[in-house]
Amino acid sequence: MDSLDDVIVAPITGVTPAAVALIRGSGAGSWRLAEAVFRAAGNSRLEPRHAVLGVIHNDGEVIDEGYLVLFESGKSYTTEESFELSCHGNPAIVRRIVNLLIEKGARAARPGEFTERAFLNGRIDLTQAEAVRDTIEAATEAQQRRARLLRDGRLARHAAEIRRKIAHELATVEAVTDFSEEIGDLDREASCERISSIVAEIRELIANASSAHIMRHGLRIAIVGRPNVGKSSLMNRMLGSDRAIVTEIPGTTRDTIEEAVEVRGLPVVLIDTAGIRQTEDRVEAIGVERSQLAAAHADTVWMVIEAPSGWTSEDEALAAALGREPDLIVANKADLGKQESRGILVSALTGEGFDQLEAAVQDCFGAELPLANERQSERLAAAADRLEAARATLEEGMPTDLACVDLYGALHEVGAVTGDSATDDILEQIFRDFCIGK
Ligand SMILES: Nc1nc2c(ncn2[C@@H]2O[C@H](COP(=O)(O)OP(=O)(O)OP(=O)(O)O)[C@@H](O)[C@H]2O)c(=O)[nH]1
Ligand SMILES: [Mg+2]
């Protein structure tokens, strides 16, 4: 059985060849282990938070050279006594040193175990622990920025504030439940109002969760339109490469093509689709079905038309066949003429209008923060439901202790967001997604 008393070790840098690799050890007694495999060069003495050069050895046989940094408990990533040992970034050397430390009494850390200990030792809350994982996975600037704000505890503070309000309400209702003779009856109306305002606050946090989803997985934009209007050309210009085949022959794109791209630092997935028209060609017909499907599953749909001819009856028919209102109309080939005034005028040939397209992408991301991830918003939604139930109880004049049960439940749900009341399986679920060494 794993214990918090174990000294755990793992490489904290990647396991591909590199100039340098770092190995971390954490737990009471970890310094002794580090000193058992490390000999400082010359007369240098080990001092906490100072890098000291030396050699790593197995009972005198030198394995590699590197530096060792010791961290006192209370001043480390996990808050425990810990160390970081550098060596050459050769996976075989790293493995050998880790195994040596295990021979001397350490245990291999599970994925995410260092961060889990930082959480269990109270240095960070669960939203911050999840932000550590987000930071490592963040591909775009915006994802990195969001992860940094979460790491700083933005959402944690907001959730703690909501929790405080629920706890206050619970105390108020509980007091009249237990001591109504001394302090009189509950002002049910005032209590209901306060509960409603907490619910509103929670719902606002949840409303932002869909942008959090987009932030994590990328905004999926389906590019649809008649054949030959320039959908593939538009996609290629956004990507800055000739990914999709472009020809003057209508019906060139037969299947949907997906590509990830960063637009103004934001993660976007562009989906080029087959032009939609009535067709006898079986292959093309399947492509058309797929583009309808792509539109149905996208976060946003861009319908491309031709600027010189403007909105035609065919476009009208296509929009109807799509099964979904396009979110944006893009009038392409503006370099050839501009009949069309609706939508954004662009030219995939010259790049005209692409600034506006990028701005449209940015608008889809909405409010910057705080955003809850799926796990967090599920818990918040459950909390809001419990609060609604408590309010209904009070409103209908039912016994106040029934309301207390729901208020207590709500408190518990919000606590699960930050980890104040997280169970072991929640923790396991969160930390198993982490990489080794984090
Ligand atoms: N002048 C001009 N030509 C363009 C522009 N965009 C695309 N084209 C031309 O229009 C033709 C069709 O372009 P595609 O990008 O293949 O059009 P598509 O909508 O993907 O067509 P399908 O895949 O057949 O549905 C090609 O000959 C392009 O070079 C533009 O902005 N200006
Ligand atoms: Mg195409």
Side-chain angles (χ1 to χ4, degrees), residues 225-234 245-254 272-276 304 306 332-336 346-350:
R226 282 188 286 120
N228 217 39
V229 292
K231 300 177 294 299
S232 300
S233 306
L234 189 103
I245 299 169
V246 168
T247 74
E248 67 290 350
I249 305 161
T252 299
T253 306
R254 297 295 184 104
D272 182 22
T273 67
I276 298 179
V304 183
E306 284 183 330
N332 188 35
K333 308 193 186 180
D335 55 292
L336 297 179
V346 305
S347 165
L349 191 69
T350 66

